[in-house]
Amino acid sequence: IKRGANLYDPETVKDTIARQKWCPGRKENAVHAYSSFLKMVGGKWDPPRYQRVAKLPWVPTESEIDQLIAGCSRRIATFLQLLKETGMRPGEAWALKWTDLDFENSNVRITPEKGSNPRILRLSNTLIAMLKTLPQKNEYVFKNGLLRHFADGFSQQRKRMANELRNPRINMITFKTFRHFKGTMEYHRTKDILHVMEVLGHKNIKNT
């Protein structure tokens, strides 16, 4: 609506989507969303088709990841180290509770999101030590407010590190990048796609 479309006039929606400087994938998502809206209100349209461009996920080097972690605040660094070692989704890590951590056996129990499988994964002594330095203010290890606000703080620290290291690739690292990194490293180590599927919690191997 803000971009000039009338939701009850499919032709204006089609024109508005076409005019946006969006990638084909985002336009395809908009078409699907509007199709769902029309189904809800009993409308119909001839949806435009956009060809999504397939891309391989970008994966940084381990040294770049480690440099970024080393330059962040204690809380953010611990969050990033957890993502690196487990391949958790950011939302899964954000919802992590202290009761999910087993310091004695050095593992973490992951409560899944997005229909994934639950899993238990090992943690390094380094990460265990980092986790133990965090204050236990409530039942959650990290959660305090909104994840996007936490992500904003991460973005500022990432930008500073990219400038200090004079490496623009650092700015390309997002929370999700750590999941791609974990999957890539596990497959490189094991050559076992089923193992990677289990680690990432996928139910469909096509996602892996």
Side-chain angles (χ1 to χ4, degrees), residues 75-76 78-80 82-83 86 88-98 100 108 110-111 113 134 138-154 175:
R75 185 162 170 253
I76 291 179
T78 305
F79 188 83
L80 298 182
L82 180 67
L83 297 184
T86 66
M88 281 188 192
R89 289 187 173 88
E92 293 171 338
W94 188 242
L96 190 70
K97 296 181 179 180
W98 288 106
D100 295 325
V108 58
I110 302 173
T111 301
E113 65 173 14
L134 298 179
N138 55 47
E139 63 180 321
Y140 296 103
V141 180
F142 301 102
K143 193 173 183 179
N144 181 17
L146 299 175
L147 176 57
R148 66 181 168 84
H149 292 159
F150 183 72
D152 289 341
F154 163 66
F175 287 158

Side-chain angles (χ1 to χ4, degrees), residues 5 21 33 41 73 76 94 99 102 110 113 119-120 122 125 135 175 187 192 203 208:
K21 295 179 180 180
V41 299
S73 66
I76 291 179
W94 188 242
T99 51
D102 183 349
I110 302 173
E113 65 173 14
R119 52 226 189 263
I120 294 177
R122 296 280 298 173
N125 292 334
F175 287 158
Y187 185 73
D192 184 349
K203 287 189 174 179
T208 314

Side-chain angles (χ1 to χ4, degrees), residues 177-195:
T177 303
F178 288 82
R179 186 165 169 82
H180 295 155
F181 175 83
K182 177 64 174 177
T184 301
M185 293 300 104
E186 286 298 314
Y187 185 73
H188 176 72
R189 183 174 67 84
T190 65
K191 302 297 187 293
D192 184 349
I193 194 68
L194 295 179
H195 165 75

Side-chain angles (χ1 to χ4, degrees), residues 8 16 33 51 93 96 102 124 178:
Y8 295 94
T16 300
Q51 188 65 41
L96 190 70
D102 183 349
S124 70
F178 288 82

Side-chain angles (χ1 to χ4, degrees), residues 21-83:
K21 295 179 180 180
W22 295 340
C23 68
R26 185 173 180 186
K27 289 185 177 182
E28 184 182 55
N29 288 341
V31 169
H32 290 325
Y34 184 63
S35 294
S36 296
F37 171 78
L38 287 179
K39 186 176 180 180
M40 180 181 70
V41 299
K44 292 183 179 180
W45 77 324
D46 180 23
R49 302 197 178 277
Y50 292 98
Q51 188 65 41
R52 185 182 293 267
V53 179
K55 293 182 180 179
L56 290 172
W58 178 76
V59 180
T61 65
E62 186 166 20
S63 64
E64 288 171 330
I65 281 184
D66 289 342
Q67 287 174 332
L68 175 58
I69 292 174
C72 287
S73 66
R74 180 176 60 180
R75 185 162 170 253
I76 291 179
T78 305
F79 188 83
L80 298 182
Q81 185 69 27
L82 180 67
L83 297 184

